[in-house]
Amino acid sequence: MKEITINPVTRIEGHARVRINLDDSGSVNNAHFEVVELRGFEKFMIGAAVEEAPRITPRICGICPTSHHLASAKACDEIFGAAPPTTGKSLRELLMTGQFIHSHSLHFFMLAAPDFLVGHDAPAAERNVLGLVKKAPDIAKQAIEVRKFGQRLTEAIGGKPIHPSTCIPGGVSHPLSEAKRQELLEMGTKSFEIAKEGWNIAKTMLDQTDLSFGAVETAFMGMSDGGRFSTYDGEVCIVGKDGSPIPAFSGTGYIDHIEEYSEDWSYLKFSRLKGGDYYRVGPLARLNVVKEMGTPEADAALAEYRSTFGEFTQTTLAYNMARYIEFLSCCEKAVEFLSDSSICNDDVRTPVSGVAKSRGVGIVEAPRGTLIHDYTVDEEGFITDCNLIVATCQNNYGMDRGVEDVARKVVSNGTLSESAANRIEMVIRAYDPCISCATHAIGQMPVDIELVRENREWNEGIGKGDLMEYVEADTE
Ligand code: MG
Ligand code: NI
């Protein structure tokens, strides 16, 4: 009988662990993806003035603050009965492309690429961004360039590079200046060139990979604007396990379609479709629900992706390639917006008088998937109820079952090699989970992977770093 821990494991946002329970013969009994941070924002938003929500909720996360900012602003538009005018809406959409460019390029170049470009079986000491700089210095440099554009875009429109604050009920607080448009267009054009070139690498990234890892069959959910990829506006579409469409929804309609629930091994909530089917969100899901990306280069990339995976795929590791296509699409879209000088028009905000509706639901697509902010307010606009549904919760089932699938494939006789452990992490990483978002906690720590003998109590007073020593002592 044996227990092993691998520590540390890296390259996701936040703190989680994988626990693999073995039976007496050393085979996998079951495995779970466990999140041990605790959430809090839904509770302490209560009592806040709702117009403050777009400035409070970005603090949930340093990786996806813009998504929270925009979902929150959309909920406020509804409560104040003030839909943004054309340019205000375009600026919000452009701001969201900055979020995607920043987050997706971080994931692709820094978190996922080391597995594919340095190699899944390379020693952990090289399988990281420093290894990438050594092996592919040009790519690493380009990654920095592109992220800079994402950040600058966020700063120029959102007011700050990390926690944007300019989206207010009815639109945005100020127009974009012509000087900033010129600056961003130049940066954006360069980033789009890099993104196009990078597709040649991204499209071959899965060639050497066993695509069966992380297998799980689910439905999928993502926004689409009349069949077109959209991160800011549109209906939320669902396709069943077999790819057949289920009626779409918007606004409070989410309540008729999805429900949240808890499992006792994780503080991270789960969600599923009413009726019991599980679903996934994020890049793989969005490419499964849309017909087109809506821009030429991204559509060409989508056609290549579909020639490999088909119109609809359950392949978990294809998340990586799907994410790249979205990154390409957002660079292309940003250049499109910035090339049109009407983005500097000053119709950026609809005036707001008072509370028009006691409830507002803002839905956007965050880099990791559908994000829902649902606020109820009193007649003065103070929040009395708040529900947030974030992407990582909706992918919790997929990650949890994916982990068990890969554990069964790579654990043999109760042992887990370093490269096998990395296969488990690669499945989690494919989802690009944002634990900070999903639990609204502070802190960034690695994932631990633990193999635990049957009937052993959960923690038994073992410090994480001490487990290996403990295990050795116990097995002698
Ligand atoms: Mg919730
Ligand atoms: Ni986040």
Side-chain angles (χ1 to χ4, degrees), residues 1 5 31 36-37 50 57 123 167 175 178 235 253 261 269 316-317 337 340 358 394 403 438 441 460:
M1 230 171 314
T5 179
V36 292
E37 296 177 347
V50 73
T57 54
C167 295
E178 177 59 26
E235 279 195 311
Y261 66 102
K269 278 190 187 171
T316 297
L317 290 173
F337 272 123
D340 182 348
S358 63
Q394 299 169 86
V403 157
E460 242 177 355

Side-chain angles (χ1 to χ4, degrees), residues 39 42 260 269 386-389:
R39 65 196 305 171
E42 283 176 342
E260 292 181 285
K269 278 190 187 171
C386 168
N387 187 25
L388 311 172
I389 298 184

